[in-house]
Amino acid sequence: MSSLIFGSQLPQYFSSEDLSLEHFQTVCDQHADLELYRLAEGIEHNIVIYQGDRLREGMDEAGAESELKTELGNCLRDGPGIFVIRGAYPDTTVIDGMTAVFMQIIEDEKSSLGEVGDHFGDNERIWNSYQKACLAAPEVFIEYYGNPLLSVAAQSWLGPHYQITAQVNNVKPGGKAQSPHRDYHLGFQSAKVAAKFPVHAHLMSQFLTLQGSIAHSDMPVESGPTLFLPFSHQFPAGYLAFHEADFAAFFDDHKSQIPLNKGDVVFLSPALFHAAGTNLSDKDRIANLIQISSAFGRPMESINRRVMTEKVYPILLDKIKQDVISPRTVGDIIAAVADGYSFPTNLDSDPPIGGNVPATAQRMMHQALQEHWTLERLKSELSLYVEKRKA
Ligand SMILES: [Fe+2]
């Protein structure tokens, strides 16, 4: 039995016969065609480049957002699998504000936990920078994650009800390169475990996550911005292949690397072969790595969305009352902090009403802001919501 996916006849399980370097080369020999990316500025080293200003302007026009989502999703799936939005943050003081929050978190963790180990070298890392930043500085969090380009990119790959997680990575001068790999889910399993999953699970893995990286410092090539192999996400057996020495050598010979500026954002398919570069400069290379999960997938980190919701709610409400925040930003922040998906739940205590899906925390937060609930009321409703979803 075989099926036609990505234009290839595929078996039920991958074996060593599927690890054809020749086939990989054919896949990676493709060239990104600017004609297919009407809203892009150009192609650099097979990476599609957008300008944040142009995308933001266009988003106000009717139908423009769905056109943008179509184009970005197409780039991630059928194109090179990676795009960069230059100037995604036009005002880099927003980035600097968040960098200061991150640095304070690192300092606090160093004094409370000691030097925290990292899995690839001489770095500083904040696990769950998402929740930590929200609780430490909710105003900065709203400005930073209220960026509409983040939600458009997330929706282009994952549809609604996505779940954001993030980790900060500060690679110090001398920090070493990673070996090429694919990312979460199957990219984090050994080749032996990955081989136990049927082929359709290999293909599915990449559709459950979107990888992003927000540049918090300028990243000239000598500072080692991430190396990518465009189109490599289209190689069906890539979750096994990246473990192989000949595929790693091919990556080394054909990788793309472009300098980034503070405020640029990269999005890529988690199945794209990539590796952080060596930092040969004398400056830190700081990125906030965002990993956005489908409503249908398990995120890599546990997030306490309830405390995040409670933290941002009074600030959002205040901004709404003062009319200093757009409905779009409010919607994006609600999507960023609150549960948007009804499941898993306890259907005995949380039955669907007027449809097939029980109410979500996102819906509750929209209602709370419309009706100007007090924080106390929101807290008690959230507490009920959490309670009724428990087994
Ligand atoms: Fe990675």
Side-chain angles (χ1 to χ4, degrees):
M1 292 277 284
S2 59
S3 65
L4 193 69
I5 304 176
F6 284 144
S8 319
Q9 295 291 318
L10 294 172
Q12 194 63 24
Y13 288 92
F14 286 127
S15 66
S16 53
E17 284 169 27
D18 299 299
L19 304 181
S20 157
L21 193 59
E22 207 183 327
H23 181 197
F24 189 59
Q25 186 161 2
T26 310
V27 168
C28 298
D29 265 354
Q30 298 176 78
H31 291 283
D33 177 2
L34 187 57
E35 299 260 300
L36 297 175
Y37 306 104
R38 211 181 63 80
L39 303 168
E41 295 302 309
I43 310 277
E44 288 176 38
H45 299 280
N46 247 349
I47 295 170
V48 183
I49 310 291
Y50 291 93
Q51 281 296 345
D53 282 345
R54 183 168 160 203
L55 299 188
R56 270 184 294 275
E57 272 169 26
M59 275 167 61
D60 295 335
E61 293 161 24
E65 190 169 324
S66 59
E67 185 190 349
L68 177 57
K69 281 190 235 175
T70 301
E71 186 169 312
L72 298 179
N74 183 265
C75 168
L76 293 169
R77 192 186 63 189
D78 302 317
I82 174 168
F83 61 85
V84 171
I85 305 175
R86 296 225 179 261
Y89 285 84
D91 174 6
T92 52
T93 59
V94 177
I95 297 280
D96 292 338
M98 191 53 108
T99 305
V101 173
F102 291 156
M103 292 303 135
Q104 187 59 50
I105 292 171
I106 288 172
E107 284 313 305
D108 292 350
E109 291 192 347
K110 273 185 181 169
S111 53
S112 62
L113 305 169
E115 296 284 334
V116 182
D118 181 77
H119 60 270
F120 64 92
D122 207 4
N123 303 330
E124 287 172 339
R125 171 80 83 164
I126 306 175
W127 301 116
N128 195 3
S129 65
Y130 195 59
Q131 182 181 325
K132 288 171 185 167
C134 178
L135 300 189
E139 289 265 9
V140 180
F141 179 93
I142 288 169
E143 253 196 302
Y144 183 89
Y145 284 107
N147 187 326
L149 296 175
L150 300 185
S151 75
V152 167
Q155 289 173 56
S156 79
W157 191 236
L158 307 163
H161 312 325
Y162 53 83
Q163 314 161 79
I164 303 176
T165 57
Q167 297 149 6
V168 170
N169 195 17
N170 180 7
V171 179
K172 300 282 184 186
K176 295 283 182 294
Q178 287 177 303
S179 22
H181 61 279
R182 285 181 165 188
D183 272 343
Y184 191 67
H185 295 251
L186 279 182
F188 284 15
Q189 301 296 332
S190 66
K192 201 171 160 191
V193 171
K196 293 180 179 171
F197 286 86
V199 162
H200 55 262
H202 281 247
L203 302 181
M204 174 183 73
S205 186
Q206 66 190 290
F207 299 116
L208 294 176
T209 320
L210 177 64
Q211 294 296 134
S213 174
I214 302 173
H216 276 248
S217 59
D218 287 340
M219 297 184 181
V221 166
E222 63 269 22
S223 74
T226 307
L227 314 159
F228 303 103
L229 185 56
F231 292 100
S232 55
H233 65 303
Q234 294 182 10
F235 183 65
Y239 288 104
L240 300 180
F242 81 76
H243 296 280
E244 301 290 323
D246 49 348
F247 283 80
F250 183 91
F251 178 92
D252 267 346
D253 291 341
H254 297 87
K255 60 194 184 273
S256 295
Q257 188 182 36
I258 57 172
L260 297 172
N261 294 313
K262 182 164 68 178
D264 291 352
V265 179
V266 184
F267 282 104
L268 61 143
S269 159
L272 197 81
F273 283 43
H274 64 278
T278 300
N279 186 353
L280 298 171
S281 77
D282 57 1
K283 296 200 174 63
D284 292 1
R285 190 182 82 232
I286 309 170
N288 190 26
L289 307 175
I290 48 177
Q291 189 177 61
I292 313 177
S293 286
S294 159
F296 310 141
R298 301 187 196 206
M300 199 164 66
E301 290 184 303
S302 316
I303 303 279
N304 188 335
R305 300 199 174 274
R306 180 180 172 183
V307 296
M308 290 176 71
T309 302
E310 291 173 0
K311 198 77 184 181
V312 300
Y313 178 77
I315 300 170
L316 283 184
L317 183 58
D318 209 40
K319 286 182 187 292
I320 288 168
K321 285 179 179 168
Q322 292 179 47
D323 200 16
V324 291
I325 192 167
S326 71
R328 151 128 230 164
T329 307
V330 172
D332 287 345
I333 293 297
I334 291 174
V337 298
D339 262 341
Y341 196 52
S342 302
F343 306 105
T345 189
N346 179 337
L347 287 167
D348 279 324
S349 48
D350 184 28
I353 295 165
N356 288 326
V357 294
T360 64
Q362 282 189 13
R363 211 192 290 173
M364 182 196 298
M365 204 171 164
H366 274 288
Q367 186 187 351
L369 289 167
Q370 266 161 20
E371 297 174 359
H372 293 196
W373 291 4
T374 60
L375 179 59
E376 285 62 39
R377 171 150 183 221
L378 180 82
K379 280 184 174 178
S380 87
E381 299 275 356
L382 270 176
S383 168
L384 276 175
Y385 169 84
V386 169
E387 212 42 53
K388 71 184 181 182
R389 285 162 67 93
K390 280 185 186 163

